[in-house]
Amino acid sequence: MSQIIITLNDREIVCQEGDSVLDALLRAGINIPFSCRQGNCQSCMIRSLRGVPPSAAQTGLKDAQLHQHHFLACLCYPQQSMTVSLTPAEAFFTEARVIGKTLLNAETMLLSLQCWEALTYYAGQFVNLMREDGLVRSYCIANSRDDGYQLNFHIRRLADGRFSQWVHQELAVGDTLAISEPRGLCYYLPGNPQQNILLVGTGSGLAPLAGIVGDALRHDHQGSIHLYHGSREMDGLYWIDEMRTLARRHANFHYTPCVSRGDAPHTVAKGRANEVAMSTLPSLRDWRIYLSGHPDMVNQARRQAFLKGAAFPDMYVDAFHVASSTLD
Ligand SMILES: Cc1cc2nc3c(=O)[nH]c(=O)nc-3n(C[C@H](O)[C@H](O)[C@H](O)COP(=O)(O)OP(=O)(O)OC[C@H]3O[C@@H](n4cnc5c(N)ncnc54)[C@H](O)[C@@H]3O)c2cc1C
Ligand code: FES
């Protein structure tokens, strides 16, 4: 096969065999935003000026974006040379101001942002946050939409994590950062109020699930709602009292904190959250399932829920894929 060339602003970049357009641009030192490299966050969306992007690289895009030949660079393994243009960040981002930073536990920060313009969103969706230098990461919205201006996030600090360390250590109340439009399908929609709901999350995966539970209860959801929140150690959990209070107020809401290692009080289940949920609950036939947090847990729980009778279309997922900053 002849060499595949990606042309950007008259510069010709060779796309090596097995590389995506994102890989090729990063190898060439182009500063292109990216985060998940899985086709989820859409932060790597660019536009083709010449050459048809493979349809797999346009998964999840809106009709208007397809019409303008936008595509996701991380999913694009080109079969022919292409000319591309980077979309200016202003097309996808607006500004927000930090109005609160509170530690939920030693590793997890509740970050509150005030948006310049009201956003239409559902708790459980995610946005991309962008730092001034263009570094982008996705975070789930933890609060229900009230006036549309304030968004809360639970941001877990990863060892050597560039964005999360910066949020914890440097970002200050009053600072601004860029925020994308909300994305994703993992949220509560009213309708079918009798349906039972299972939610399983690990670590800061509680963020979307707590928001979804809040929305379900606000809509007077009638079916049982079971939330399992897991962590390796006891100090990785948070909002235990808040969730227990909610469970006391709503007879159909059940909350189980889980710890897979180390000591835990007898009121906390021992084991991984997904294992505890699957071994405790009866058949999941006709249940709605929400899964959030570590991608391995999410994948395993999806399979387990399916084997217990849940249907894939009834499963909603926020898998926290982390971006790898290097190329293989
Ligand atoms: C849809 C979605 C929703 C998400 N929602 C949330 C949320 O609500 N809350 C939340 O906390 N997170 C969430 N995430 C994860 C989040 O987007 C970030 O990936 C996470 O915060 C880590 O980003 P970072 O820049 O701090 O770490 P990165 O700098 O991306 O590093 C990630 C990990 O890789 C390691 N690493 C980095 N570079 C190298 C290297 N060269 N070699 C070896 N290891 C390396 C780091 O030590 C770190 O542990 C979500 C992700 C997705 C896709
Ligand atoms: S969709 Fe390409 S990096 Fe997330």
Side-chain angles (χ1 to χ4, degrees), residues 14-25:
V14 176
C15 189
Q16 295 177 12
E17 207 182 328
D19 270 3
S20 65
V21 170
L22 178 65
D23 296 331
L25 296 179

Side-chain angles (χ1 to χ4, degrees), residues 9 20 46 76 118 143 153 160 172 180 182 188 234 243 259 271 298 326:
N9 300 335
S20 65
I46 61 174
C76 185
N143 60 313
F153 305 94
D160 300 325
S180 77
Y188 178 81
M234 200 51 211
M243 289 299 137
V259 162
V298 165
T326 52

Side-chain angles (χ1 to χ4, degrees), residues 21-179:
V21 170
L22 178 65
D23 296 331
L25 296 179
L26 291 175
R27 273 187 209 288
I30 307 291
N31 186 14
I32 168 174
F34 70 97
S35 180
C36 68
R37 300 181 101 150
Q38 304 273 332
N40 293 331
C41 71
Q42 298 189 357
S43 59
C44 66
M45 196 190 310
I46 61 174
R47 196 170 159 218
S48 171
L49 303 178
R50 184 182 57 88
V52 182
S55 56
Q58 296 181 308
T59 309
L61 300 196
K62 295 177 183 157
D63 286 349
Q65 292 164 330
L66 300 180
H67 185 246
Q68 292 166 22
H69 310 295
H70 286 289
F71 65 96
L72 302 176
C74 70
L75 293 186
C76 185
Y77 294 87
Q79 302 298 309
Q80 52 179 279
S81 293
M82 303 175 79
T83 301
V84 300
S85 77
L86 303 190
T87 314
E90 306 84 79
F92 298 128
F93 289 86
T94 60
E95 266 204 350
R97 189 166 54 89
V98 179
I99 56 168
K101 281 182 73 177
T102 314
L103 274 179
L104 297 167
N105 62 29
E107 302 298 332
T108 315
M109 171 79 66
L110 172 65
L111 175 74
S112 300
L113 300 183
Q114 176 89 17
C115 300
W116 268 201
E117 45 193 81
L119 296 185
T120 302
Y121 67 84
Y122 297 97
Q125 286 191 292
F126 68 91
V127 296
N128 293 323
L129 301 181
M130 185 165 70
R131 221 163 60 170
E132 231 173 37
D133 63 358
L135 185 68
V136 175
R137 294 290 182 262
S138 310
Y139 294 99
C140 292
I141 304 170
N143 60 313
S144 304
R145 187 171 71 227
D146 188 4
D147 57 7
Y149 284 94
Q150 183 176 329
L151 282 87
N152 294 340
F153 305 94
H154 300 178
I155 301 193
R156 178 153 173 253
R157 172 167 49 183
L158 295 192
D160 300 325
R162 285 189 295 158
F163 200 95
S164 56
Q165 290 286 353
W166 171 76
V167 167
H168 277 248
Q169 290 176 356
E170 294 176 45
L171 186 68
V173 172
D175 287 353
T176 55
L177 77 175
I179 182 169

